[in-house]
């Protein structure tokens, strides 16, 4: 079993829709959670970062972590065609894992006009 | 502007040949990482380095080698022992600990011909 599981999709939504992207993880030591956005043939870019449980909002994006159920979510409001990309969740335990991020498989999102 | 530069963007390798992928960063980050990305498999860690002159194997190090002689540079050699080298290779860096996420380069697409 992978430590971080993510539905690869693909996910296709109309412009303006609310998008929900989800990951589950199995390592109870994970404390730091990130979402990356990756456009085709480009490197991933950090979109959201959260520590422990709770919500974090940045513009149209909201990241949510529920450590009790080991569930990570990213919500995109008023989705735009420019949001079409692969979204990767990632987690880090800190401490002795020293910087090693564990990534999900990525979800391919297409927002059509 | 600070960032990570990977070169070349595209690389073709003949069977039995070693090739070296370049990764340079000017972010003054201590840690550097190499990932391999294949469709549907997310990012898999090849090697990482927390400090100059020190590096550790990741999850799929067989057939690869690295060096870290300078803080700014972390080249990856794909040797002839790597049986399936065709993939998208991503270099990343982070401050010590990496808990706040990585900065990625734009990637190198390696194809065996």
């Amino acid at each position: 079993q992978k430590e971080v599981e993510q539905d690869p999709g693909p996910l296709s939504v109309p412009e303006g829709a609310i998008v929900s992207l989800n990951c589950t993880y199995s390592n109870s030591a994970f404390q730091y959670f990130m979402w990356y956005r990756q456009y085709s043939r480009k490197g991933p870019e950090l979109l959201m970062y959260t520590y422990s449980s709770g919500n974090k909002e940045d513009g149209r994006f909201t990241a949510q972590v529920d450590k009790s159920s080991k569930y990570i979510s990213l919500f995109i409001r008023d989705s735009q065609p420019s949001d079409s990309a692969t979204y990767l969740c990632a987690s880090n335990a800190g401490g002795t894992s020293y910087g090693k991020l564990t990534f999900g498989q990525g979800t391919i999102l297409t927002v059509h006009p | 502007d600070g960032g990570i530069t990977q070169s070349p963007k595209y690389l073709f390798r003949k069977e039995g040949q070693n090739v070296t992928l370049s990764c340079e960063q000017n972010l003054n980050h201590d840690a550097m990482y190499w990932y391999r990305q294949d469709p549907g498999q997310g990012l898999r860690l090849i090697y990482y380095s927390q400090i100059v002159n020190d590096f550790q194997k990741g999850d799929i190090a067989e057939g690869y080698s690295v060096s870290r002689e300078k803080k700014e540079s972390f080249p990856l050699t794909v040797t002839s022992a790597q049986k399936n080298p065709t993939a998208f290779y991503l270099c990343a860096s982070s401050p010590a600990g990496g808990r706040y996420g990585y900065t990625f380069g734009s990637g190198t697409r390696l194809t065996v011909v």
Side-chain angles (χ1 to χ4, degrees):
Chain A
Q1 181 192 5
K2 293 179 186 287
E3 284 191 299
V4 178
E5 296 275 4
Q6 184 176 6
D7 185 344
L11 184 62
S12 181
V13 302
E15 184 175 356
I18 296 175
V19 176
S20 173
L21 303 167
N22 307 295
C23 292
T24 58
Y25 65 94
S26 57
N27 189 339
S28 298
F30 284 159
Q31 299 180 62
Y32 304 89
F33 305 92
M34 297 133 210
W35 283 95
Y36 284 84
R37 179 175 61 195
Q38 184 179 23
Y39 292 115
S40 182
R41 290 185 287 276
K42 301 289 186 184
E45 56 177 327
L46 184 63
L47 199 57
M48 298 285 285
Y49 164 86
T50 53
Y51 170 68
S52 194
S53 283
N55 290 2
K56 185 173 183 178
E57 189 174 317
D58 184 3
R60 297 184 294 112
F61 299 89
T62 299
Q64 196 172 77
V65 176
D66 182 347
K67 292 192 74 179
S68 63
S69 59
K70 296 188 178 66
Y71 204 77
I72 313 163
S73 299
L74 178 71
F75 299 96
I76 306 174
R77 291 182 299 281
D78 187 25
S79 56
Q80 303 294 311
S82 58
D83 294 327
S84 298
T86 298
Y87 289 81
L88 297 150
C89 60
S91 300
N92 177 286
T96 56
S97 74
Y98 202 91
K100 286 175 60 180
L101 287 183
T102 302
F103 287 86
Q105 300 96 308
T107 299
I108 301 170
L109 171 67
T110 301
V111 180
H112 52 87
Chain B
D1 283 339
I4 298 183
T5 301
Q6 287 189 243
S7 62
K9 194 172 178 66
Y10 299 97
L11 187 57
F12 298 90
R13 190 194 94 165
K14 294 181 180 179
E15 294 281 354
Q17 208 175 37
N18 292 356
V19 291
T20 298
L21 283 60
S22 171
C23 178
E24 302 275 336
Q25 55 102 355
N26 60 3
L27 299 165
N28 199 32
H29 284 169
D30 290 309
M32 297 187 74
Y33 315 82
W34 274 106
Y35 281 86
R36 169 179 172 145
Q37 188 173 33
D38 297 280
Q41 294 201 50
L43 275 66
R44 293 183 289 168
L45 182 64
I46 304 172
Y47 268 97
Y48 65 104
S49 169
Q50 301 168 8
I51 197 168
V52 174
N53 293 323
D54 185 53
F55 49 83
Q56 287 79 40
K57 293 181 179 180
D59 302 318
I60 56 165
E62 186 175 349
Y64 299 97
S65 66
V66 294
S67 63
R68 186 88 187 274
E69 297 176 1
K70 299 187 298 181
K71 187 175 184 178
E72 301 79 18
S73 179
F74 192 41
L76 174 74
T77 297
V78 184
T79 74
S80 57
Q82 170 49 237
K83 298 306 178 191
N84 185 23
T86 295
F88 189 50
Y89 290 86
L90 287 160
C91 179
S93 71
S94 74
R99 290 187 289 272
Y100 307 107
Y102 300 164
T103 300
F104 280 90
S106 55
T108 293
R109 162 61 73 174
L110 173 63
T111 304
V112 174
V113 295

